[in-house]
Structures are given as structure tokens and as C-alpha cells.
Amino acid sequence: MMGTEKNQSTAIVFILLGFSDYPELKVPLFLLFLTMYAVAVLGNLGMIVIIKINPKLHTPMYFFLKHLSFVDFCYSTIATPKLLENLIVNDRSVSIKACLTQFSSGATCVLTEMAMLAVMAYDRFVAICYPLIYTITISPKRCALLVTVAYAWGIISSIVLTYSLVILSFCETKIIDNFVCEYALFLSASCSDTHFSEIMLSIFTNLSEFCTLIIILTSYVFIFVTILKMHSASGRYKAFSTCASHLTAVTLFYGTIFLLYCIPSFQSSKLVMKMGSVFYTVVIPMLNPLIYSLRNKDVKETFRKLMHLNTISQ
């Protein structure tokens, strides 16, 4: 009986509607999302290259930023091409196996990004509150360990969540009003008991959000207290400016979570939920490298040098 159910599930497909409800906007949306995806790819890969080639940027803060850019690049590449494909093809079907692969990869990136943002908050906390022991506390080995923990948490959580979906049965082709394979869509499409899957989702998502937010908020409480105690206005400005980019990225990331999943009026709108998915997969990966580069003199200087060398070579 189990074998029959599994065979049925593998033969069934999901149909991702995407933005097919707005056929008149198909071309403008395609061009918009393609442009945003190109900016996200170039911005994140460019950030990785700039950090790698500039010795001034070989510090823990930029080491973490390099990995954040890598995660953003991966997440954007996992989801955006399917979004673009859905805008230009008539056949929007996707196999359950492909959908599970997309979900698993995307979940790894999202959960890793949560952990990475918490690690970066801890790094700023040590740098501002304990500058004299910063190089000892945030040593190269500690940096590697923190990044490894962030990736490990994302991968392990994703494996558990994916397993909780693999054990479900799907009895019929399901039309899904989105362009990405989200966890809730699998639950709504399943014809078996989803209680275990819902428990796993609740445990791992709440644990990730709670633990990372606690680390971030606690770090910034101590950071702001330390900044307020500084007597020099230039010192306060310098300390705050080093946190401004990260604080902006955290606000965008967790602000979207709060709007989409904590406010009932937003949850009731399918279009808003769909736009929330766009925000995660396209907008945030595009904005992060811009946020971190616009206020950073070293990054902008390295970028200008690269552009100058490129002009000379041509």
C-alpha cells in the first residue's frame, strides 16, 4: 500500500500559477524581475570578489559579509529563474521531486541567512563593546567556526523539514497560487496526516527566529548602551555607522517576516503573500550588497579601481 502511495505521489505534479492572473503585466514583470535578478547576481558576486582582492577587507566583518553575499546569491538563483520561466511559458507544471529540491535548497539559504545575521550582530557587539580584545575573541578560527555553525544549522534544519514533507502523500495534481515551492503549499496539497510536519515546521522556524532575534536584539541593546556612553561625537558616529548597514538588512529581513506571518490582514491576501515571496527571493538579495556598499568607502574605492582597470584594458 505504501509503495502504491509513493508511486502516485511521484506521478503527480504541482502547477505554479505565479503571476498568470495578470497576463497584461507579463512582459513588464519579466523585465523587472530579470533586471533585479541581474543586479542581485552581479552585486553579490561583485561583493565576494571585492572582499577577496582587497587586503583592507580581510577582516572578520567582511568575512561574514562575503558569506552572506554567497547565501543571497544562492537563494536568488534557486528561486528567480523559475519565476522568470513561469512568466513566459504556458506549461507551469513542476514535479514533486523538483519542488522538494527547490524548497530544500531555499530553506537552507533562508535559515543560514538568519544564523549569519545573528553572527554578524555578535561580531559588531564584540567590536564596539570590547574593542581591546576583538582580535582575540573574533579570531580566524572563531570566524570559521561561527560560519560553519550557521551553514550547519541551515542544512540540518532543511534536511529535517524536507524529510517531514517527503513522508507525505499527494493524491492529485494541485494548482498552487505562487511561483515558489513553500512549506505551506505542500501541506495544503497533501492528502495524508500533516500533524508531524506541522510540528516540525513550528519547532525549527520558531527556534531559528527566536534564537537569532534574541542574539541580534541583545547585541544591539549592549551596542546602543556603549555608544551612548561614548564622550566623543565622532566616536559615536563611527560606531553607529559600522552597524547601520547590518541593522538595515536585519530590519528588512525580519520586518518582512513580521508583516507576512504575524499580521492576520496580510496573511489573508494571496497577492501580498506572493509579493512577500518576491521580496525574499529577489528584492532582499538585490538590496543587501547595495546596503553594505553604499556607506562603505573601502568597498566603493575597490569597485572604482576595478572599473578603472577594466576601462584601461578595453
Side-chain angles (χ1 to χ4, degrees):
M1 186 66 183
M2 285 293 293
T4 305
E5 287 185 357
K6 289 295 179 185
N7 289 335
Q8 279 187 314
S9 292
T10 52
I12 292 165
V13 298
F14 292 153
I15 299 174
L16 302 175
L17 292 181
F19 291 92
S20 59
D21 293 342
Y22 309 94
E24 68 281 1
L25 297 177
K26 184 167 65 174
V27 174
L29 285 175
F30 179 85
L31 295 175
L32 174 64
F33 294 144
L34 179 62
T35 302
M36 294 170 73
Y37 176 57
V39 172
V41 170
L42 293 174
N44 286 293
L45 292 181
M47 183 67 74
I48 293 170
V49 171
I50 286 171
I51 292 171
K52 193 168 184 179
I53 66 174
N54 189 347
K56 288 184 180 180
L57 303 181
H58 293 176
T59 63
M61 181 175 73
Y62 292 104
F63 176 76
F64 297 134
L65 178 56
K66 180 174 66 175
H67 284 278
L68 181 69
S69 295
F70 174 71
V71 172
D72 279 335
F73 164 73
C74 290
Y75 189 35
S76 183
T77 301
I78 287 164
T80 311
K82 189 62 182 177
L83 165 61
L84 296 172
E85 180 188 340
N86 278 359
L87 285 167
I88 59 174
V89 300
N90 293 322
D91 182 11
R92 298 183 177 89
S93 61
V94 58
S95 68
I96 290 178
K97 185 179 290 186
C99 221
L100 280 169
T101 301
Q102 187 195 60
F103 165 77
S104 179
S105 305
T108 300
C109 292
V110 172
L111 293 165
T112 301
E113 179 149 351
M114 280 187 182
M116 204 71 71
L117 289 172
V119 166
M120 294 172 77
Y122 171 72
D123 170 68
R124 292 299 83 205
F125 158 71
V126 177
I128 293 172
C129 299
Y130 301 98
L132 297 179
I133 61 169
Y134 176 70
T135 54
I136 299 173
T137 307
I138 310 294
S139 62
K141 285 185 179 180
R142 181 70 61 85
C143 289
L145 176 63
L146 291 171
V147 167
T148 301
V149 169
Y151 281 117
W153 174 252
I155 292 169
I156 292 169
S157 301
S158 175
I159 289 172
V160 174
L161 290 174
T162 303
Y163 171 75
S164 70
L165 293 177
V166 169
I167 62 175
L168 297 177
S169 298
F170 303 92
C171 305
E172 59 182 8
T173 294
K174 183 76 174 180
I175 297 175
I176 296 173
D177 193 10
N178 209 325
F179 64 90
V180 288
C181 300
E182 293 186 337
Y183 199 93
L185 303 181
F186 285 98
L187 297 183
S188 65
S190 174
C191 58
S192 57
D193 184 14
T194 61
H195 184 65
F196 172 76
S197 302
E198 290 170 359
I199 291 175
M200 290 297 101
L201 175 66
S202 179
I203 289 173
F204 279 90
T205 55
N206 289 333
L207 191 62
S208 290
E209 290 173 19
F210 178 77
C211 291
T212 55
L213 265 179
I214 286 295
I215 293 171
I216 291 168
L217 293 175
T218 303
S219 296
Y220 274 105
V221 167
F222 283 105
I223 286 170
F224 288 139
V225 169
T226 302
I227 290 175
L228 291 174
K229 288 180 179 179
M230 292 179 179
H231 299 293
S232 168
S234 61
R236 285 196 298 268
Y237 174 78
K238 184 178 179 181
F240 182 77
S241 64
T242 62
C243 300
S245 298
H246 178 259
L247 200 54
T248 303
V250 168
T251 302
L252 280 172
F253 188 85
Y254 285 95
T256 306
I257 291 176
F258 179 76
L259 288 175
L260 291 178
Y261 302 110
C262 300
I263 300 180
S265 60
F266 279 86
Q267 294 181 46
S268 62
S269 172
K270 289 183 179 180
L271 178 60
V272 171
M273 294 297 287
K274 206 179 296 184
M275 292 308 297
S277 298
V278 170
F279 205 80
Y280 272 120
T281 57
V282 186
V283 179
I284 289 179
M286 177 192 71
L287 289 179
N288 276 347
L290 298 177
I291 291 168
Y292 281 100
S293 62
L294 289 176
R295 296 176 59 88
N296 192 296
K297 292 180 181 178
D298 290 327
V299 172
K300 288 190 284 189
E301 180 186 345
T302 307
F303 179 74
R304 281 196 295 267
K305 287 180 180 179
L306 284 174
M307 293 302 293
H308 180 64
L309 290 172
N310 185 50
T311 303
I312 292 174
S313 65
Q314 288 178 350

